[in-house]
Amino acid sequence: MSILLTIILIVLLVFIYKKREETETNLGWKVVGYFWLGAFAFKVNEIPLPLGFLLFLLLFRPVTNVKTKNRSAYLGLAFFLIMHVIFPAVERELFERPRDVVAASNNMFQVDFTNDWMTIRDQIKIDEYARLVYFRADYQKSGQIDRLSYYVVDVSEKGSVYYDINFSADTNRYIIRAEKIGVEGLEYVEFVEASRFFEVLDEVQVRNLSLEQPFEGYTLRFDGEWIKDANEYQQKYVILGKEIKTITRDQLPTEGYPINVCGKGKPYELPTGSGVANRCEANADFFFDD
């Protein structure tokens, strides 16, 4: 694209030069100079401003080949707009467009999370060390998924990318949206790697992350951060490979990445008449490490 644009600019500059009104010494260099003046950009808080063109309007008053020099400066302004406004907007639109990936299953007890994640990662070109910021799944006691979504960040000093991944039960596909967030993504570098989280889910099996009694539905939530927890009133377990062991009060405080599982009863009508909800009637945290 840059080569094509360069060729077009050269052709236009030659055309402008040939349309000169009169002979002038070093006019060719002056045409190029006015072009670069019109194209010159100055950034304020990462926002590009056409400073060169503003200087042209305020300070430059050509007396010979006026149309030729004005055309060169306006061509520079057009180049500024293409490079700093149009191209970035088109690039952002293409980058952030929703993309979809086929899911292996719509049942939490049957999903191969690692395989699904690797498929998404490979097709969307996400870094293998991307960090998981948030994960939530709402599912029925049969395992049928009602809603599943999670967010990962591809962390980089050059410019991090945030991925919003949502499972669609209607199409049995993941819908992925990407957004460039720049150096702000570095704040997520301490979060767990997405691949580690999905590895844990596959090894322990979601059906085994159960509560002491059965419920109509469940919410599994994960916030991505390592915590130290001393709350003795919240039931806690530790995940050791395929095993799940109870954490007793005398073992507190405990540390790790907690997966919270909430058991919900039958849906009930909200008092405002705005819909139905499932109250979380019991919950527990399942800790794992990296």
Side-chain angles (χ1 to χ4, degrees), residues 109 137-144 146 211 213-220 261-267 278-282:
F109 303 152
D138 296 300
Y139 53 99
Q140 301 169 22
K141 61 182 178 182
S142 63
Q144 184 74 27
D146 293 323
L211 303 176
Q213 67 183 83
F215 290 90
E216 292 296 316
Y218 298 88
T219 294
L220 186 152
V261 176
C262 156
K264 300 177 293 186
K266 292 183 178 181
N278 295 76
R279 181 183 292 110
C280 185
E281 298 184 359

Side-chain angles (χ1 to χ4, degrees), residues 6-18 31 75:
T6 301
I7 293 172
I8 293 173
L9 285 174
I10 291 173
V11 171
L12 290 174
L13 286 171
V14 170
F15 177 79
I16 289 172
Y17 175 77
K18 288 185 174 181
V31 167
L75 179 62

Side-chain angles (χ1 to χ4, degrees), residues 10-289:
I10 291 173
V11 171
L12 290 174
L13 286 171
V14 170
F15 177 79
I16 289 172
Y17 175 77
K18 288 185 174 181
K19 289 291 182 178
R20 61 191 181 277
E21 299 99 286
E22 57 188 287
T23 302
E24 182 179 341
T25 304
N26 296 322
L27 179 60
W29 290 111
K30 292 175 183 178
V31 167
V32 174
Y34 274 92
F35 165 78
W36 284 117
L37 180 64
F40 180 75
F42 181 77
K43 288 189 176 182
V44 178
N45 294 327
E46 297 302 314
I47 299 175
L49 301 175
L51 180 61
F53 188 75
L54 293 175
L55 291 174
F56 164 74
L57 292 177
L58 294 172
L59 304 177
F60 287 79
R61 294 291 185 272
V63 294
T64 57
N65 287 300
V66 176
K67 289 184 179 180
T68 298
K69 294 169 183 176
N70 284 347
R71 288 168 182 166
S72 298
Y74 277 98
L75 179 62
L77 176 63
F79 180 77
F80 166 86
L81 294 173
I82 290 171
M83 296 304 296
H84 295 285
V85 179
I86 298 173
F87 273 10
V90 172
E91 182 183 42
R92 184 172 57 253
E93 185 67 26
L94 291 174
F95 184 81
E96 296 181 355
R97 74 190 189 282
R99 285 166 283 182
D100 62 276
V101 173
V102 177
S105 174
N106 61 1
N107 189 293
M108 282 291 286
F109 303 152
Q110 299 172 6
V111 175
D112 186 331
F113 289 99
T114 298
N115 183 70
D116 277 9
W117 164 240
M118 290 179 65
T119 301
I120 293 171
R121 193 183 71 193
D122 292 345
Q123 290 192 25
I124 309 300
K125 308 300 181 186
I126 305 175
D127 186 83
E128 62 178 312
Y129 301 110
R131 306 289 170 161
L132 182 65
V133 178
Y134 180 77
F135 179 98
R136 174 170 175 158
D138 296 300
Y139 53 99
Q140 301 169 22
K141 61 182 178 182
S142 63
Q144 184 74 27
I145 298 172
D146 293 323
R147 186 179 70 173
L148 187 155
S149 63
Y150 58 95
Y151 315 125
V152 299
V153 175
D154 187 338
V155 180
S156 169
E157 292 182 359
K158 295 180 179 179
S160 300
V161 181
Y162 180 91
Y163 294 92
D164 182 348
I165 302 169
N166 287 275
F167 172 79
S168 171
D170 295 332
T171 62
N172 203 43
R173 289 175 174 270
Y174 294 100
I175 309 299
I176 302 101
R177 292 176 173 84
E179 178 185 358
K180 293 182 179 180
I181 57 175
V183 294
E184 296 175 11
L186 292 176
E187 65 186 76
Y188 298 111
V189 73
E190 298 299 326
F191 281 59
V192 71
E193 290 181 7
S195 57
R196 172 57 182 156
F197 173 75
F198 294 124
E199 177 185 55
V200 169
L201 285 188
D202 285 339
E203 190 166 19
V204 74
Q205 295 294 307
V206 171
R207 68 170 67 252
N208 294 324
L209 301 179
S210 57
L211 303 176
E212 293 181 353
Q213 67 183 83
F215 290 90
E216 292 296 316
Y218 298 88
T219 294
L220 186 152
R221 197 182 77 182
F222 179 70
D223 292 328
E225 293 184 277
W226 180 281
I227 69 167
K228 186 174 183 178
D229 191 353
N231 181 6
E232 61 183 38
Y233 300 104
Q234 172 78 24
Q235 183 62 59
K236 298 176 181 61
Y237 302 90
V238 60
I239 299 173
L240 301 170
K242 296 181 179 180
E243 292 185 80
I244 298 175
K245 294 187 176 181
T246 302
I247 297 174
T248 58
R249 290 186 177 182
D250 62 313
Q251 294 174 312
L252 297 176
T254 188
E255 292 184 76
Y257 297 106
I259 300 173
N260 180 266
V261 176
C262 156
K264 300 177 293 186
K266 292 183 178 181
Y268 63 93
E269 289 284 344
L270 292 171
T272 59
S274 57
V276 297
N278 295 76
R279 181 183 292 110
C280 185
E281 298 184 359
N283 59 76
D285 287 329
F286 297 81
F287 285 80
F288 70 92
D289 61 33

